[in-house]
Structures are given as C-alpha cells and as structure tokens.
Amino acid sequence: MWKFEPLLKSTIWGGEKIAPFKGIETEQKQIGESWEISGVSGSESVVANDADKGLTLSGLIDKYGAELLGERNFRKFGNRFPLLIKFIDARQDLSVQVHPDDGIAQRHGMPNGKTEMWYVVDCDRDARLANGFNRAVDPKEYESLVESGEIEKVLNFMPIKPGDVYFIPAGRVHAIGKGSFVAEIQQTSDATYRLYDYHRKDKDGNERELHTALAKEAINFNDTEGNAVEYTAHPDIPVNLVNTPFFTTNLLQIDREVMRDYRENESFVAIIVVEGEADFICGEERLSAHRGETLLIPSSAKGLTIVPKGNLTALETYVK
C-alpha cells in the first residue's frame, strides 16, 4: 500500500481550505487543487512512505507492473496510471468547460479523453454547480451564447450539499461554482476546453484562453441529464455511486471493522478518505490514513481490512 506526496496547485479561483482539510502546513496560497494520485506528465505523484519512498508513480508501475495495476489494466495502460484523483476548493466560480471523449482526444494527439465524477465533500450554504444544459441547445446559437456571456442561462445549475454526487461524461458542459469543495475522480487527462470564464483576468491583466471551436467539437448539445446521482447510504455496506468503463466508485461509510474482498476486481484500488481516520490492513501490512489522504492498494491484494477510529467516510475506486 502506498501514500503519495500531494501536488498542490495554486489557481486564480483557489481558496484556503485544502491544507487544513488535509492537515498539512504550507505557505502556498490560493490552492485550488490537490492532486492525490496523478500519472499526468509533468505532474506525477511521488511515493511518500516506506521502501518505495521517492519513486514516481510510473516508476512504481515499472517496478510492480501487473501486480499493481492488474493484468488487463497493465496491458492496456502500460506504466501510465489510468486515473487522476483530486480535491478541488473553489473560492470563485470555475470556468464553464467541457472535455473531449477518447475519439476526439486521440484525433488531437492525446492518449484519451476525460470522463469524471464529483463527490461534494463540503460547501457553502449557497453553493451550486452546473452539469449539462437545462434545455437542448442548437449548435448554431452556441457561439453567440458564449460571446454574449449568456451561456449561463442554458446551463443546468443546481444547489449542492455535502454527499452529493455528480457524473460528468465526456461531452457534458459543466462548471464548479464558488464555495464548492469536492473530490474528483477522472480519467488521466488534462484535456479541458474552456468555453466561458466570466471575462476574468490573470495577474498580468490578460483573460485566460478560451477554446470555443474545440469545445464546439466536443459538446453534446442535447445533454440535459446532469442531475445528481441518486443513491441511498448504508452504514458498513459499500454503495455503488458510479460504474463506467473508465472507473467504478463506491461510497464507504463505516463505524466498525469491515473486510473488503477484491478478488474479482483484477484492478488496483484507491481509497480516498473524506472524513475520519482508519487503519488499513493488507496481509501483514498496516497503514493509517486520515481525512484528506489517499491510499493506493495493489491488484495483488485480494482483500483489505478497514478498522475505523470512529466514523469513516471514504471513496473506493478502481478500473475493472
């Protein structure tokens, strides 16, 4: 089992919640994102614990191969980890954006597109986000809506609360609103097309680049299915939130010792702790993790015992 050094990303819209949430001290300001597990080139995670400390994520996969990823995942992805896991703290609204699917991304020289999900960890009382359109949009009106700033009028905005879950397939226009603190699980990709950014300017007085034409190619203009994922929480029983070809994610809310059986997964498992603390036992290895930490469990581990210290809430994700 491994922990990784968080990659803290300062952004023009970032806040000050991530460091205290994770229990770390830093002089860094406006931290919008903490990349928990990343195989993105130039922003690769580094192991933080035990004998493999200092290894990059790709180096870790080079060392353990299919034992870590699972045989099918290793054949498909090689030493490129297939998921990117983040915490996001939005002090201001994020840009309205869309991600390409695998086919479009590959036509533009990228290995894959980006499908993702959000779990709302915390939020301000009036926080909201946008996921999809509130009506079908004619592609011919798209550019005029962007140019006039009226694109917001056709977005599916929803108030949010802790525990809400949103699925964002490639092609769905979306935006995280100010006051939102979310955990994000996505395909490994940094392919983001901004189509509107509120005419904000950076420290040099320049507006951020928009990708109007690229976004138009990627957008599903008939996508009005962006409401929250419906689920019912069950104490000490895993609850499936998202099940896609790209990743499966379950919610764990635990107040007693629980054994997770991974024999049929044939995949690594990442555990993202969003509340509480627990000991995680895999064979002879025992590792503690608390709120804001993420563990990577190898595919060779056929099971995991979780011993919570009080109430634990975590996300469990893998590629099966």
Side-chain angles (χ1 to χ4, degrees):
M1 295 185 289
W2 302 275
K3 293 182 183 180
F4 297 88
E5 300 289 349
L7 294 165
L8 305 180
K9 306 276 188 176
S10 293
T11 63
I12 62 172
W13 44 261
E16 306 298 334
K17 297 178 181 177
I18 283 178
F21 174 79
K22 292 178 63 62
I24 58 178
E25 294 185 4
T26 177
E27 297 297 318
Q28 196 170 335
K29 302 296 183 184
Q30 288 184 243
I31 300 171
E33 300 183 348
S34 174
W35 290 22
E36 298 295 296
I37 302 182
S38 167
V40 175
S41 178
S43 293
E44 226 183 320
S45 292
V46 174
V47 177
N49 67 302
D50 295 340
D52 294 316
K53 185 174 181 178
L55 269 183
T56 62
L57 182 54
S58 61
L60 196 69
I61 298 170
D62 284 339
K63 182 175 179 178
Y64 294 102
E67 289 184 38
L68 195 164
L69 289 186
E71 190 63 47
R72 284 176 305 182
N73 287 334
F74 188 56
R75 287 199 304 267
K76 182 175 182 179
F77 300 108
N79 72 349
R80 187 170 185 268
F81 193 73
L83 297 182
L84 173 56
I85 297 170
K86 307 176 180 177
F87 289 112
I88 297 176
D89 173 23
R91 182 176 57 88
Q92 299 177 10
D93 293 328
L94 273 67
S95 61
V96 180
Q97 56 190 242
V98 69
H99 307 303
D101 63 20
D102 287 354
I104 293 173
Q106 288 162 5
R107 287 202 297 273
H108 288 280
M110 295 175 283
N112 56 263
K114 187 194 295 189
T115 285
E116 61 189 11
M117 65 163 286
W118 299 322
Y119 177 89
V120 179
V121 177
D122 198 8
C123 59
D124 294 347
R125 186 169 57 181
D126 59 348
R128 65 176 188 168
L129 54 75
N131 197 28
F133 293 116
N134 56 31
R135 63 169 175 84
V137 173
D138 187 331
K140 294 180 179 178
E141 68 176 320
Y142 158 72
E143 290 187 18
S144 63
L145 287 168
V146 171
E147 181 67 27
S148 66
E150 294 183 331
I151 190 71
E152 290 184 271
K153 292 183 179 179
V154 297
L155 298 180
N156 180 36
F157 278 106
M158 289 157 292
I160 59 173
K161 64 183 184 303
D164 281 352
V165 174
Y166 289 89
F167 177 60
I168 308 97
R172 177 173 290 170
V173 171
H174 58 278
I176 295 175
K178 64 180 180 181
S180 304
F181 190 105
V182 306
E184 180 176 274
I185 299 165
Q186 60 168 85
Q187 289 177 270
T188 291
S189 170
D190 216 13
T192 295
Y193 300 150
R194 286 189 295 271
L195 50 131
Y196 184 64
D197 196 37
Y198 316 100
H199 301 290
R200 283 187 295 211
K201 296 180 180 179
D202 62 21
K203 59 183 175 60
D204 298 317
N206 301 312
E207 292 189 10
R208 289 203 295 174
E209 180 184 6
L210 300 181
H211 313 99
T212 307
L214 288 168
K216 186 176 182 179
E217 180 186 9
I219 292 171
N220 178 356
F221 289 100
N222 295 310
D223 187 352
T224 59
E225 303 296 321
N227 292 334
V229 173
E230 295 184 4
Y231 72 93
T232 301
H234 293 286
D236 303 315
I237 299 174
V239 175
N240 181 248
L241 302 177
V242 172
N243 190 10
T244 76
F246 310 108
F247 54 83
T248 294
T249 302
N250 303 317
L251 175 66
L252 306 178
Q253 293 182 312
I254 297 171
D255 62 5
R256 61 176 177 82
E257 182 175 315
V258 168
M259 171 66 183
R260 298 292 294 127
D261 186 346
Y262 297 141
R263 284 175 295 182
E264 295 183 4
N265 283 5
E266 297 183 12
S267 171
F268 65 88
V269 178
I271 304 287
I272 307 144
V273 181
V274 297
E275 191 60 51
E277 183 179 3
D279 286 337
F280 296 85
I281 305 168
C282 179
E284 300 298 316
E285 188 177 5
R286 188 183 190 107
L287 192 59
S288 178
H290 58 71
R291 184 182 73 173
E293 293 190 313
T294 301
L295 296 181
L296 180 60
I297 316 298
S299 177
S300 57
K302 301 307 180 184
L304 181 71
T305 300
I306 306 173
V307 184
K309 302 174 183 180
N311 293 315
L312 177 80
T313 299
L315 301 173
E316 173 190 75
T317 191
Y318 47 87
V319 178
K320 67 178 182 181

